[in-house]
Amino acid sequence: MGRPSGGRCLGCKDADAVIDLARHRTRYCGECFVDHIRTQVRVAIDAYGMLRYDDEILVAVSGGKDSLALWDILLDMGYNASGLYLGLGIGGYSTRSERIVRDYAERRGVKLHVEDLAEEYGFDIPDSVKHPRRSDKKKKNGVGRAACGTCGLSKRYVFNKTALRHGYDVMATGHNLDDEAAQLFGNVLRWQTEFMARQSPMLPASEGGLARKVKPLYRLTEREMAAYCVIKGLDYVVEECPLVEGNTVMRYKDALNELERAAPGTKAHFLFGFLDRVRDEHFDQGQHFDTSLVPCADCGLPTPAHQPGQTPVCAFCRTRGRLLQLVDRPVGDDAAETSPPEQDVNA
């Protein structure tokens, strides 16, 4: 069977198809496509035992297609899922993102935690562009590196802290097949074996204070998630973050997209082959998941044990400390050590 183009849905074989999926060599009407999305999420959840129906789930929602679609899918599948939006201070982009997330939470009548990086921790993501690390300054297009590195670090920190503070059982993120394949591609190019060993659709909780993390969309592409939002009528921020220029992962995605166009299914074969046949056979999981964790001296959250004699300070607190020395913005005392003020929407 060749690549489908137009015609009837190959699921119900009755309605007109609205999307073709070359990787699956099929095409679907809107209703069958939504069923396909939920089926793929169910396969992902069951394969790794990601979620139970009595779990309290915290979904990181940015206003983009992937995280909003994930929240929508989990709610429609009957899971108890709340949202967390973190304000990053990226001008109109962040303003639109927050409005979209708030509107969705109000429409569905679900709980949304809203936090603001600048108000609670004293810096925002544009500050990292104004004051990049020395290593970023030496590289062409270092802006994207500084912004994306600080953004990812901040999201992981606040996400984990919020989940622990409110007693959530599991954290869910909207990382999709394109994201995971690009991450693996970069790790292979650099032979970053520690990162390769830890790459998984699910990371277990740690007794040291790290909540369980899951990625239920890892079997679905960006295109599929965009189509899901269109079919379900979900409003989302379409434009890329204005600070993403120079981001290395975007170049990896472009390279993989070229391969995918020539041979549909390349990204899935690459990622699933690694997860199913390579990672567990060739990497020592215990060596990387059993890393000793100790409390950060600044905030108390877990961080890998440092060299003897060194004060253990987590990466977020180190980055925050550096930026607070450079930015001119008032911040409350000990923002990282105490529970910052937070808005609960539709609690």
Side-chain angles (χ1 to χ4, degrees), residues 239-260:
E239 67 268 30
E240 292 281 1
C241 171
L243 301 181
V244 78
E245 181 181 0
N247 182 282
T248 305
V249 174
M250 299 299 290
R251 293 197 289 272
Y252 294 156
K253 285 187 176 182
D254 289 341
L256 289 172
N257 285 338
E258 286 297 318
L259 295 173
E260 185 75 15

Side-chain angles (χ1 to χ4, degrees), residues 150-219:
T150 303
C151 183
L153 176 65
S154 301
K155 286 179 176 178
R156 291 189 295 271
Y157 180 88
V158 176
F159 195 18
N160 186 66
K161 185 172 183 177
T162 303
L164 293 174
R165 184 195 315 154
H166 293 278
Y168 284 97
D169 299 298
V170 58
M171 306 183 301
T173 61
H175 291 88
N176 57 44
L177 172 58
D178 298 71
D179 298 324
E180 294 299 290
Q183 178 183 340
L184 177 60
F185 187 47
N187 289 339
V188 170
L189 288 178
R190 290 177 168 81
W191 291 119
Q192 294 174 309
T193 54
E194 180 177 354
F195 294 155
M196 292 166 67
R198 287 183 57 82
Q199 182 163 356
S200 173
M202 184 179 77
L203 294 177
S206 164
E207 292 183 2
L210 294 176
R212 177 165 33 117
K213 302 179 182 68
V214 299
K215 302 173 183 178
L217 300 184
Y218 84 94
R219 298 182 60 86

Side-chain angles (χ1 to χ4, degrees), residues 6-18 27-32:
R8 293 290 187 181
C9 169
L10 296 180
C12 64
K13 297 181 174 60
D14 183 29
D16 290 336
V18 298
R27 55 180 178 261
Y28 290 122
C29 65
E31 184 175 348
C32 288

Side-chain angles (χ1 to χ4, degrees), residues 33 64-66 68-69 224-236:
F33 177 70
K65 61 186 183 308
D66 303 303
L68 280 171
E224 287 171 293
M225 301 326 300
Y228 176 89
C229 288
V230 171
I231 290 171
K232 288 295 296 292
L234 300 181
D235 187 22
Y236 67 92

